[in-house]
Amino acid sequence: MNKEKRLEMLKRLRQNNPKPTTELNFSTPFELLIAVLLSAQATDVSVNKATAKLYPVANTPQAILDLGLEGLIFYVKTIGLFNTKAKNTLKTCQMLVDLHNGEVPENRAALEALPGVGRKTANVVLNTAFGRLKDNEGKYFLAVDTHIQRLANRTGYAKGKTVEQTEQAIIKNTPNKTEFMFNLHHWFILHGRYTCTARNPKCGSCIIEDLCDFKHKTE
């Protein structure tokens, strides 16, 4: 895929979905942070069902701490790996209270210091909750999950064996970054989730099929 095709791919994804956003339900940066923590190896649907019951009861770090481990598990036990996630959530809430006055920091290093928060989660929070294109060092960033990893490599938009390599390759290959980088994460993840699926990708109904390298390999 060359530069012209990448640009056209982004334009079509934008035209199809001008204002994309996460499918996780949230109303504050803290709610998004916890939802993303809970979403690892789980579906957004399952997380939304759990947080729909949790957040009306506890949607601040202190309120979740007040629930305690058993109280929190009651709300998240339907989500995979709930024990580990509940423990990390409580540790994260304690750090937010102790170090950040109960607020979610708008800083990558501070975010990644929170238990269970890695680069992808930090990137999602910075991008979606705080509207950031660049990190505190002025560098572009992108949250890459399995859907984005698959879409980027399969289409030929960007190649990378790891999510870190794919993130850097996508950033390098994206034209007009100020125009497209803010929404790119959501365009890619939604297209990978619903069209460019891992099994039986829906190539026939794909709006970027003629731009994609993958179809040539399967003909």
Side-chain angles (χ1 to χ4, degrees):
M1 183 179 288
N2 57 31
K3 181 179 179 180
E4 288 72 25
K5 286 185 176 181
R6 291 189 186 100
L7 179 60
E8 179 62 23
M9 174 176 165
L10 293 171
K11 287 181 177 179
R12 291 185 193 180
L13 292 174
R14 179 175 61 186
Q15 183 177 19
N16 185 63
N17 191 355
K19 296 182 179 180
T21 188
T22 178
E23 293 187 316
L24 291 169
N25 296 331
F26 74 100
S27 58
T28 66
F30 176 72
E31 287 186 357
L32 178 63
L33 171 63
I34 299 306
V36 178
L37 275 174
L38 295 174
S39 70
Q41 299 182 46
T43 66
D44 288 357
V45 172
S46 67
V47 173
N48 287 337
K49 287 181 179 178
T51 57
K53 297 178 180 179
L54 171 64
Y55 289 160
V57 176
N59 71 338
T60 66
Q62 188 59 57
I64 287 182
L65 286 172
D66 291 343
L67 289 176
L69 182 59
E70 293 303 318
L72 180 56
I73 285 176
F74 173 79
Y75 292 100
V76 303
K77 61 186 177 182
T78 56
I79 301 173
L81 306 175
F82 66 87
N83 274 310
T84 298
K85 291 176 181 178
K87 291 176 182 177
N88 282 335
T89 296
L90 288 172
K91 291 177 182 177
T92 286
C93 289
Q94 191 66 61
M95 287 184 67
L96 291 176
V97 169
D98 292 343
L99 302 178
H100 305 288
N101 298 315
E103 300 293 330
V104 176
E106 193 177 338
N107 177 282
R108 175 186 303 286
L111 284 168
E112 292 187 12
L114 300 172
V117 176
R119 182 176 178 86
K120 188 195 82 170
T121 297
N123 284 349
V124 170
V125 172
L126 288 171
N127 176 252
T128 305
F130 294 118
R132 298 280 295 278
L133 280 171
K134 300 178 181 180
D135 60 21
N136 296 84
E137 297 178 351
K139 297 179 180 179
Y140 286 100
F141 63 85
L142 179 74
V144 176
D145 71 348
T146 55
H147 297 298
I148 296 174
Q149 172 87 350
R150 178 178 64 254
L151 179 70
N153 280 275
R154 181 182 279 173
T155 60
Y157 189 97
K159 298 289 186 178
K161 293 183 179 180
T162 66
V163 293
E164 291 82 6
Q165 290 175 354
T166 300
E167 177 186 0
Q168 295 308 314
I170 291 174
I171 292 170
K172 179 181 178 181
N173 290 345
T174 296
N176 304 356
K177 291 180 177 58
T178 55
E179 182 178 355
F180 294 112
M181 279 299 299
F182 180 72
N183 289 319
L184 191 148
H185 165 78
H186 298 302
W187 286 327
F188 275 35
I189 196 172
L190 292 171
H191 197 75
R193 181 176 291 166
Y194 295 113
T195 302
C196 194
T197 51
R199 295 184 180 181
N200 303 315
K202 301 174 179 63
C203 297
S205 60
C206 177
I207 61 174
I208 58 170
E209 180 186 13
D210 59 311
L211 307 172
C212 176
D213 290 348
F214 181 69
K215 66 184 182 65
H216 300 297
K217 297 178 182 178
T218 58
E219 288 176 347

